Amino acid sequence: MKRLEGKVAIVTGASAGIGEATARLFAQEGASVVVVARRAEVLDALVHAITKAGGEALAVAGDVGEEAFARVMVERTLARFGRLDIVINNAGILGAMGPVPDMALSDWQQVITTNLTSAFLAAKYQLPAMLASGGGSLVFMSTFVGHTAGMPGMAAYAASKAGLVGLTQVLAAEYGAQRIRVNALLPGGTDTEAAREFADTPEAQEFVAGLHALKRIAAPEEIAHAALYLASDDASFTTGSAMLVDGGVSINRV
Ligand code: NAP
């Protein structure tokens, strides 16, 4: 039995990395998947691949930081599939890094808009659609950075991602009685384009891997499986959590 049979899921940031792996896994598990990111041609190729493998998918291209797009994402989902059960709000950026006194306000705002304001906008339009569908599972992709670790130079990223945990708790409390579960997923280092830009030499990659108790970073598919848990009925009693799936980077001290 497929774990998401009959469900309709939106996955943002699906043109690369964790989001792409999640969209592919959800489609394999029987969900109709709406894949979202800015690069339309990459999304179209993903829809083609999912469809070829027997799944069902729709591409909706745009910027998650824009309110009009947050509305369109849900409208197009409902127009095509008629309901909304699951959302993995995963799109995010590291943004400009460095000490706060050197940080331009525009750089701060870009990270907050893409990573945190996008989550508010997403919830604003996704929740009514999930309520109309009888409930569901809403997930925000956060990180251990700013939750269990203060990493120099990452103020905007950490603040935006810690904000997602607060948003998660409030929404979980507000919507639990209406059968909507809301959780934050906090990955450790994961081998994606973003991670390769962050640690761009073999030495840096070895250093990052060594921060984790497992002495490696994750494959995107490993995080996708955690998203599948939160999205599926396996997590029927899990709400309001900040779920670490981080290879032990939060507890490792050596
Ligand atoms: P990635 O490979 O850089 O992919 C990011 C995705 O987000 C892409 O699909 C990108 O697509 C999309 N995106 C970025 N800005 C967007 C915008 N304004 N509107 C719509 N889509 C946008 O990143 P990743 O490593 O898979 O990370 C995915 C999520 O996991 C992020 O929220 C990240 O903070 C979090 N995370 C990652 C790690 C890690 O080590 N990789 C660890 C912890 C948490 P387009 O460029 O096509 O728009």
Side-chain angles (χ1 to χ4, degrees):
M1 173 71 182
K2 293 182 174 178
R3 288 161 76 185
L4 301 181
E5 198 72 64
K7 304 285 187 191
V8 176
I10 294 176
V11 179
T12 74
S15 63
I18 293 170
E20 180 188 344
T22 301
R24 287 180 188 275
L25 180 63
F26 282 19
Q28 276 167 30
E29 290 291 341
S32 300
V33 185
V34 180
V35 293
V36 172
R38 291 164 301 183
R39 286 172 291 171
E41 66 291 350
V42 184
L43 293 179
D44 287 343
L46 178 59
V47 167
H48 183 70
I50 288 174
T51 310
K52 212 173 150 199
E56 211 171 356
L58 169 72
V60 183
D63 186 331
V64 293
E66 292 175 1
E67 179 159 11
F69 180 68
R71 194 182 64 243
V72 164
M73 200 195 312
V74 173
E75 283 173 356
R76 300 237 355 239
T77 301
L78 296 179
R80 169 76 180 267
F81 297 119
R83 57 185 296 116
L84 178 60
D85 306 288
I86 297 160
V87 187
I88 310 297
N89 286 303
N90 160 79
I93 54 169
L94 273 171
M97 290 191 286
V100 166
D102 299 340
M103 190 176 287
L105 176 60
S106 56
D107 287 338
W108 169 270
Q109 285 170 331
Q110 190 197 6
V111 174
I112 298 295
T113 299
T114 304
N115 292 358
L116 181 58
T117 307
S118 66
F120 155 74
L121 293 172
K124 178 172 171 172
Y125 293 99
Q126 293 163 2
L127 284 164
M130 293 176 103
L131 283 174
S133 306
S137 172
L138 187 57
V139 176
F140 297 105
M141 198 62 72
S142 180
T143 172
F144 70 98
V145 179
H147 189 70
T148 57
M151 300 190 77
M154 301 183 80
Y157 183 71
S160 69
K161 293 291 185 178
L164 294 178
V165 174
L167 180 67
T168 294
Q169 292 180 358
V170 171
L171 293 179
E174 284 179 351
Y175 288 93
Q178 290 152 287
R179 299 168 52 86
I180 296 179
R181 297 182 295 100
V182 187
N183 292 285
L185 175 50
L186 281 58
T190 307
D191 187 14
T192 66
E193 286 170 22
R196 271 173 254 130
E197 265 170 45
F198 175 71
D200 57 359
T201 62
E203 295 73 32
Q205 285 157 11
E206 198 178 327
F207 173 75
V208 171
L211 296 174
H212 297 68
L214 294 179
K215 301 302 169 201
R216 65 176 180 86
I217 61 173
E221 291 73 19
E222 293 179 283
I223 308 304
H225 274 96
L228 174 62
Y229 164 73
L230 290 174
S232 75
D233 289 342
D234 289 350
S236 54
F237 202 58
T238 304
T239 197
S241 75
M243 194 174 92
L244 286 164
V245 180
D246 72 350
V249 71
S250 294
I251 51 84
N252 193 50
R253 289 293 177 273
V254 188

